[in-house]
Amino acid sequence: MQPHRLFGCLLVLGSLLLAASADSSPIVGVLAQEVYSDGLISHHFENKTSYIAASYVKYLESAGARVVPIWIGRNRSYYEDLMHKINGVLLPGGATWFNQTDGYADAGEHLLQLAVQLNDNGTFMPVWGTCLGMELLVYKLANGTDHRINCRGTGMALPMELKEDYKQSRLFNASNEAVVALMVKENVTYHWHQFCYTEADFARDQLNKSWRVVSVNSDLDGIEFISAMEHIKYPFYGVQFHPEKPLFEFVKPSIPHSPAAVLSGQYFADFFVNEARRSPQSFANATEEARALIYNYKPEYTSILGSTYIQQYLFTDKEMQLEETGFEGGDDGDDEPSYYPPGHVYGDGNGAAAMLSLGTGPLLAPLAIRLFSIDF
Ligand SMILES: *[C@@H]1O[C@H](CO)[C@@H](O)[C@H](O)[C@H]1NC(C)=O
Ligand SMILES: *[C@@H]1O[C@H](CO)[C@@H](O)[C@H](O)[C@H]1NC(C)=O
Ligand SMILES: *[C@@H]1O[C@H](CO)[C@@H](O)[C@H](O)[C@H]1NC(C)=O
Ligand SMILES: *[C@@H]1O[C@H](CO)[C@@H](O)[C@H](O)[C@H]1NC(C)=O
Ligand SMILES: *[C@@H]1O[C@H](CO)[C@@H](O)[C@H](O)[C@H]1NC(C)=O
Ligand SMILES: *[C@@H]1O[C@H](CO)[C@@H](O)[C@H](O)[C@H]1NC(C)=O
Ligand SMILES: *[C@@H]1O[C@H](CO)[C@@H](O)[C@H](O)[C@H]1NC(C)=O
Ligand SMILES: *[C@@H]1O[C@H](CO)[C@@H](O)[C@H](O)[C@H]1NC(C)=O
Ligand SMILES: *[C@@H]1O[C@H](CO)[C@@H](O)[C@H](O)[C@H]1NC(C)=O
């Protein structure tokens, strides 16, 4: 081989190796969420206005990704800039209203609009929604119409009821049969939600044109709901259950930790992180990347204080580079102390107790109950 050709080969090889290394260590953004104005975090940690449950971070890390926190309350240019650097977005579960300004839902709207644009523009940008995150995905892609129904899905460990054509889904087209056999037989998925989407509603409102239902389950009253889905056009995925909890959350006795449940949770982490590996984007340089990563923050041991999350990353407005306006988690100027019923997230009650604590709050309006989600 002539020297210049060898050099050319090396160059090609070199750039392939570079590309491979960039592709195989994706960075996924995890959206933060506003804390309750009268909740456990506000009581124990001064000035912390948003959080990320550490289980979502560990979940992505367990599959080979690194994590960048995505702040709430920022302007469009922040989200636009970040969305050109990360390789995927995870919208975690939690408890907030979709109409709360400058919080999780508003940030989610920016992220989803940008993810749609990026994909339309030919840049692969996957999005994963867990529980409330899945609800937000559907809600925002349906242009802000709420298709959720109330259901009782708190504290259930269930097998996956895969649709007949599940093999056609991207989520499962490359799945290992032995893993699937365990998923459909054992109680591998953990549910904690008071809202659901149903196939009937998706069909009636034509959401079935954009979403493929991959699995269903039934709530405590026997109402069948969608438990896993994927967007037909975009690399967007939603699960109503919590794949991260069997691996990383231990407070609720109802969370399954069997080998099958852990394997199943890991399956979804691996799937999504592999999707993120297909995204070509990166930070401008190593310094910028290092400053953005979650390693800049230390999680707190919050279950010992009564939280159902073992560990949480907690952020101040300053850390989110917001103007320090004091507490921001309240109702947009309304200083009602229990806008968020704290019993909800941090209590270890069962579903019924959670419902009751909602009922005793000042926001008894059925609409409030409908918009509020305790979908951890
Ligand atoms: C909380 O913010 C106030 C006002 O900026 C400040 O005086 C106080 O030291 C902060 N507390 C902590 C624990 O950082
Ligand atoms: C967005 O916020 C950043 C600082 O947080 C500021 O520098 C920038 O001017 C703002 N952009 C717009 C369009 O408001
Ligand atoms: C997608 O492309 C359009 C047209 O070039 C551009 O205006 C828009 O900013 C792009 N969106 C993103 C998120 O890059
Ligand atoms: C939402 O709005 C966009 C843009 O107007 C439109 O293309 C899309 O079909 C709408 N989606 C639904 C579910 O109504
Ligand atoms: C699964 O589907 C994706 C997207 O359609 C495709 O790229 C991939 O090759 C499929 N994998 C298998 C094993 O069929
Ligand atoms: C799954 O959970 C249900 C309800 O708790 C129980 O009846 C069933 O035996 C469990 N199945 C397995 C395979 O553990
Ligand atoms: C959506 O559901 C409706 C009603 O069942 C059905 O007629 C239609 O074919 C479905 N659309 C798709 C894309 O599956
Ligand atoms: C890294 O990128 C950022 C953002 O583009 C830039 O401000 C900074 O100067 C760069 N740093 C180095 C060391 O190149
Ligand atoms: C958000 O929804 C709740 C419950 O319906 C309602 O009480 C509140 O006024 C709404 N907030 C805004 C800013 O629209």
Side-chain angles (χ1 to χ4, degrees):
M1 195 181 287
Q2 287 165 351
H4 72 272
R5 289 195 56 194
L6 177 64
F7 186 63
C9 281
L10 285 176
L11 264 187
V12 169
L13 186 66
S15 54
L16 277 178
L17 283 174
L18 262 183
S21 84
D23 283 348
S24 48
S25 55
I27 294 180
V28 176
V30 178
L31 182 57
Q33 185 167 153
E34 53 273 32
V35 306
Y36 291 7
S37 62
D38 196 25
L40 180 140
I41 295 172
S42 334
H43 285 150
H44 289 91
F45 302 94
E46 209 181 1
N47 301 337
K48 298 289 189 180
T49 54
S50 77
Y51 74 93
I52 291 174
S55 47
Y56 292 98
V57 175
K58 298 176 206 183
Y59 171 75
L60 293 166
E61 289 179 347
S62 78
R66 285 167 296 161
V67 168
V68 160
I70 305 179
W71 310 131
I72 54 172
R74 296 290 300 266
N75 62 25
R76 179 75 170 199
S77 31
Y78 162 78
Y79 297 105
E80 197 156 344
D81 177 61
L82 190 61
M83 284 296 274
H84 284 97
K85 291 168 176 166
I86 57 182
N87 307 114
V89 173
L90 188 148
L91 304 172
T96 184
W97 279 279
F98 288 168
N99 70 350
Q100 174 126 344
T101 45
D102 286 339
Y104 172 83
D106 280 358
E109 177 167 324
H110 288 300
L111 297 171
L112 289 169
Q113 283 173 356
L114 290 161
V116 164
Q117 277 186 29
L118 280 164
N119 285 296
D120 283 346
N121 288 1
T123 303
F124 190 79
M125 173 52 76
V127 179
W128 183 275
T130 292
C131 208
L132 185 65
M134 163 175 148
E135 294 168 24
L136 186 67
L137 250 175
V138 173
Y139 175 72
K140 289 299 178 190
L141 266 65
N143 297 332
T145 39
D146 201 345
H147 294 270
R148 293 180 296 181
I149 61 158
N150 293 307
C151 73
R152 286 206 305 132
T154 44
M156 309 186 298
L158 301 172
M160 294 203 67
E161 292 177 35
L162 292 166
K163 300 292 291 181
E164 229 166 81
D165 62 351
Y166 77 95
K167 274 269 177 197
Q168 248 107 75
S169 68
R170 298 184 303 275
L171 266 169
F172 281 98
N173 76 349
S175 59
N176 171 314
E177 309 232 328
V179 175
V180 170
L182 286 173
M183 282 179 171
V184 299
K185 196 171 111 227
E186 298 203 25
N187 292 327
V188 293
T189 59
Y190 185 67
H191 291 256
W192 188 283
H193 48 93
Q194 65 169 21
F195 295 107
C196 297
Y197 289 117
T198 65
E199 279 192 287
D201 194 67
F202 267 38
R204 189 178 58 242
D205 294 314
Q206 313 234 338
L207 295 178
N208 63 346
K209 280 190 188 155
S210 29
W211 293 102
R212 175 187 288 117
V213 175
V214 178
S215 76
V216 293
N217 279 104
S218 296
D219 81 347
L220 296 168
D221 298 320
I223 296 170
E224 193 178 90
F225 62 90
I226 299 167
S227 51
M229 49 173 228
E230 64 184 28
H231 200 275
I232 290 166
K233 181 169 169 200
Y234 299 117
F236 299 168
Y237 304 89
V239 290
Q240 191 69 74
F241 55 87
H242 284 276
E244 77 290 351
K245 286 196 196 295
L247 285 84
F248 297 114
E249 294 290 4
F250 296 88
V251 172
K252 286 175 189 290
S254 47
I255 300 175
H257 297 289
S258 64
V262 169
L263 193 65
S264 160
Q266 191 69 55
Y267 175 84
F268 293 107
D270 290 343
F271 172 84
F272 185 62
V273 171
N274 278 336
E275 287 286 277
R277 288 188 169 97
R278 296 172 58 189
S279 153
Q281 304 193 120
S282 61
F283 281 83
N285 54 55
T287 312
E288 192 194 42
E289 180 183 287
R291 288 216 174 105
L293 289 165
I294 193 95
Y295 311 129
N296 290 288
Y297 307 91
K298 291 191 197 100
E300 298 283 350
Y301 185 5
T302 46
S303 63
I304 207 153
L305 302 170
S307 171
T308 55
Y309 296 120
I310 296 265
Q311 290 183 305
Q312 280 166 280
Y313 290 91
L314 305 174
F315 309 108
T316 60
D317 285 351
K318 201 173 172 188
E319 284 164 326
M320 294 193 288
Q321 295 154 53
L322 286 166
E323 258 181 66
E324 281 179 83
T325 53
F327 181 72
E328 288 219 326
D331 181 13
D332 202 18
D334 181 343
D335 62 344
E336 215 130 46
S338 41
Y339 180 72
Y340 296 105
H344 246 111
V345 160
Y346 302 109
D348 192 20
N350 57 29
M355 292 289 194
L356 269 178
S357 86
L358 234 191
T360 57
L363 288 166
L364 238 185
L367 190 61
I369 291 173
R370 190 171 157 72
L371 286 174
F372 187 80
S373 206
I374 51 159
D375 299 352
F376 303 150

